[in-house]
Amino acid sequence: MIPASFNYNRPESVGEALKMLSDDGAQALAGGHSLLPAIKLRLNEPDSLVDISRIAELRFIKRDRGTLTIGASTTHHEVANSADVKGAISMLAEGADHIGDPAVRNKGTLGGSLAHADPAADWPAMMLAVNADVVIANPKGSRKVAAGDFFQGFYMTALEEGELITEVEIPVPAGEYRSAYAKFEQPASRFAIVGCAVMADVSGGTFSDVRVAFTGVADAAFRDAGVEAALEGAPANAESIAAAAEKAAAGVDFMEDHYASAPYRGHLAKVYAKRALMALL
Ligand SMILES: Cc1cc2nc3c(=O)[nH]c(=O)nc-3n(C[C@H](O)[C@H](O)[C@H](O)COP(=O)(O)OP(=O)(O)OC[C@H]3O[C@@H](n4cnc5c(N)ncnc54)[C@H](O)[C@@H]3O)c2cc1C
């Protein structure tokens, strides 16, 4: 548990951080809740850490007309307690409040969680369900990647070497949209063994623009097109939900570990799809 030696740098701006990250062997450090354990176990041996946690321009929450923007270094605790987030899409605040324990929520960041892309992390499913765009800075400028294209596999994302997530843009739709997140959590860490984030327009008592996203189920978070299609245009009631939830995670290659077998994860996907969708009613 003793890390190899590394240099520690604390830039004051995104520009300065990007310059430091262009050095070979440099890696961003945010809350450190995923990176530091990996360094202590020598699973990761960066030559230098670029501590982005105190860059003010990365730590904010802004609601502007139809968009909620959250800076990458904003902590889970800050999201959980933001009136702007609660007023825009309440699921995000509730989900953030169920990540880990107070120490994790006070140090861990939204950007760090997305970049790390743990297959059991809560944020990826929520970002997929809200149709978020991940804004990424690099020495040439910046680019936006839809959440659906960002998570690419087991701890794999669209981030390239030396790039930094700066913020996440979340459309806040008009109309009668509701959202919910339900998870079966590992009791010690609270990581999701299965987590399901849902968002839909329920105006007129009918489901439309249904988004259903899972984490914990497979090697990366994903949207469930089968459940979404089953609910599109269906009456917003318990019968439609029960029928649609039965289709959850069809054809998915389930993760299997010491917490849950593949068949058990498949069962939990149906149960938690139903619970999350029922919370919309
Ligand atoms: C005991 C414990 C319980 C936990 N429980 C949960 C849980 O219930 N649910 C859950 O979702 N998570 C959980 N976590 C993980 C936690 O949410 C971490 O905060 C998160 O995984 C990583 O965020 P971080 O800010 O700590 O990133 P770090 O550990 O600092 O970095 C993680 C990775 O992201 C990279 N990185 C960080 N920020 C950026 C950026 N802006 N741009 C590009 N790359 C970046 C780093 O280089 C590193 O590779 C838990 C962690 C612990 C230790």
Side-chain angles (χ1 to χ4, degrees):
M1 294 293 271
I2 300 185
S5 65
F6 53 81
N7 293 317
Y8 173 82
N9 300 298
R10 193 192 294 160
E12 305 216 331
S13 67
V14 170
E16 210 187 325
L18 287 171
K19 258 192 211 125
M20 292 172 173
L21 285 169
S22 68
D23 289 344
D24 268 356
Q27 192 169 357
L29 171 71
H33 271 278
S34 297
L35 183 53
L36 294 183
I39 290 175
K40 283 184 179 175
L41 292 168
R42 301 210 181 196
L43 296 171
N44 190 340
E45 296 190 21
D47 295 325
S48 63
L49 288 181
V50 178
D51 183 350
I52 59 166
S53 64
R54 296 184 215 190
I55 298 178
E57 61 190 298
L58 291 178
R59 198 163 173 171
F60 65 91
I61 296 173
K62 194 174 68 188
R63 168 102 187 251
D64 186 13
R65 293 206 183 109
T67 309
L68 177 70
T69 313
I70 306 178
S73 292
T74 308
T75 63
H76 311 317
H77 172 84
E78 286 162 343
V79 179
N81 290 283
S82 159
D84 280 335
V85 175
K86 289 178 189 173
I89 302 176
S90 57
M91 163 184 71
L92 298 174
E94 286 156 20
D97 203 33
H98 285 83
I99 292 176
D101 51 38
V104 172
R105 292 195 291 278
N106 277 303
K107 284 297 285 179
T109 66
L110 172 60
S113 177
L114 300 183
H116 192 57
D118 190 310
D122 297 299
W123 280 125
M126 290 191 273
M127 291 295 111
L128 287 168
V130 299
N131 278 341
D133 281 327
V134 181
V135 184
I136 297 169
N138 57 41
K140 291 185 197 147
S142 79
R143 63 193 181 106
K144 267 187 212 180
V145 179
D149 298 321
F150 184 78
F151 303 106
Q152 299 190 340
F154 193 62
Y155 293 98
M156 278 175 58
T157 69
L159 275 173
E160 309 256 349
E161 201 78 7
E163 289 193 319
L164 209 53
I165 300 173
T166 51
E167 61 199 41
V168 168
E169 289 180 1
I170 298 162
V172 183
E176 217 187 307
Y177 276 78
R178 295 189 192 157
S179 61
Y181 181 61
K183 72 169 163 174
F184 182 67
E185 61 191 31
Q186 203 280 337
S189 70
R190 294 181 105 185
F191 269 111
I193 293 171
V194 166
C196 183
V198 297
M199 187 161 175
D201 186 346
V202 293
S203 52
T206 302
F207 280 121
S208 62
D209 194 11
V210 183
R211 303 106 179 244
V212 177
F214 281 106
T215 189
V217 174
D219 61 358
F222 63 94
R223 284 269 296 266
D224 192 321
V227 180
E228 293 177 355
L231 285 174
E232 203 61 42
N237 63 30
E239 289 73 32
S240 311
I241 289 171
E246 279 304 305
K247 299 181 189 294
V252 166
D253 194 4
F254 293 110
M255 267 203 306
E256 185 149 37
D257 55 23
H258 50 288
Y259 299 129
S261 66
Y264 187 43
R265 274 202 161 80
H267 168 72
L268 287 174
K270 293 177 182 175
V271 172
Y272 279 81
K274 189 172 172 186
R275 286 191 188 177
L277 287 162
M278 286 298 290
L280 301 184
L281 300 186

